[in-house]
Amino acid sequence: DGFEFLDKLNKLPVEIRDELYICLLTTSEDINDIKKGIELGAKEHLTKPLTDEKVRNMKLLTQYFQ
């Protein structure tokens, strides 16, 4: 479960968490799930099916690897 993972991740020291980029890959397009994931520390949310276009437009790639 992604939310359970994020909850456990938040128990790590902030120095470790700040080095991680978490992107949720899910079938859910529910706005409440997206908000919850972001609130728990995910930086991004992608829905399945994963496509080349979705990957190319990821914030991770566009913000950190330009």
Side-chain angles (χ1 to χ4, degrees):
D1 176 290
F3 297 134
E4 184 177 328
F5 170 79
L6 288 170
D7 187 50
K8 290 183 188 287
L9 184 74
N10 283 321
K11 295 177 181 161
L12 294 173
V14 70
E15 306 85 43
I16 295 172
R17 289 193 322 258
D18 285 349
E19 296 295 320
L20 302 174
Y21 188 97
I22 304 297
C23 176
L24 297 179
L25 178 60
T26 180
T27 57
S28 177
E29 293 182 0
D30 184 319
I31 191 70
N32 294 316
D33 288 345
I34 296 169
K35 286 180 182 179
K36 183 176 179 180
I38 300 301
E39 288 169 0
L40 287 172
K43 303 274 193 291
E44 194 161 3
H45 176 273
L46 295 176
T47 55
K48 295 176 185 176
L50 191 59
T51 64
D52 288 342
E53 181 180 358
K54 287 179 184 177
V55 172
R56 281 192 302 272
N57 291 323
M58 286 179 65
K59 286 186 234 173
L60 171 66
L61 298 177
T62 58
Q63 289 180 355
Y64 297 100
F65 295 102
Q66 289 267 329

